[in-house]
Amino acid sequence: MLLTAIYHILKKKEPYNPELYQKSDVFPVSREITVDQAILLAKSQGFKIMMPETSVT
């Protein structure tokens, strides 16, 4: 985050504004994803996804 701030300060020749970079630390209160998106996210992080076993009675 610090490197991003420095990059923009040097590129745009603007003074540092800490308020712009504090906002990026705050996550939305309500975040929702679908089951398929959650599975893809877990796979991208290296998790192995196993299907639940169905019991036949």
Side-chain angles (χ1 to χ4, degrees), residues 14-43:
E14 296 178 352
Y16 175 69
N17 183 354
E19 292 179 7
L20 294 177
Y21 298 98
Q22 291 174 351
K23 291 179 184 177
S24 65
D25 290 342
V26 179
F27 292 108
V29 175
S30 174
R31 294 175 41 170
E32 296 180 4
I33 61 173
T34 65
V35 172
D36 291 334
Q37 290 171 328
I39 291 171
L40 287 173
L41 178 62
K43 284 182 178 180

Side-chain angles (χ1 to χ4, degrees), residues 1-4 6 9-10 13 15 17 19-20 26-27 30 32-33 35-36 39-40 43 45 50 52 54-57:
M1 189 166 63
L2 180 59
L3 288 175
T4 302
I6 293 170
I9 290 168
L10 294 175
K13 298 180 181 173
N17 183 354
E19 292 179 7
L20 294 177
V26 179
F27 292 108
S30 174
E32 296 180 4
I33 61 173
V35 172
D36 291 334
I39 291 171
L40 287 173
K43 284 182 178 180
Q45 297 295 316
M50 301 173 57
T54 57
S55 59
V56 178
T57 55

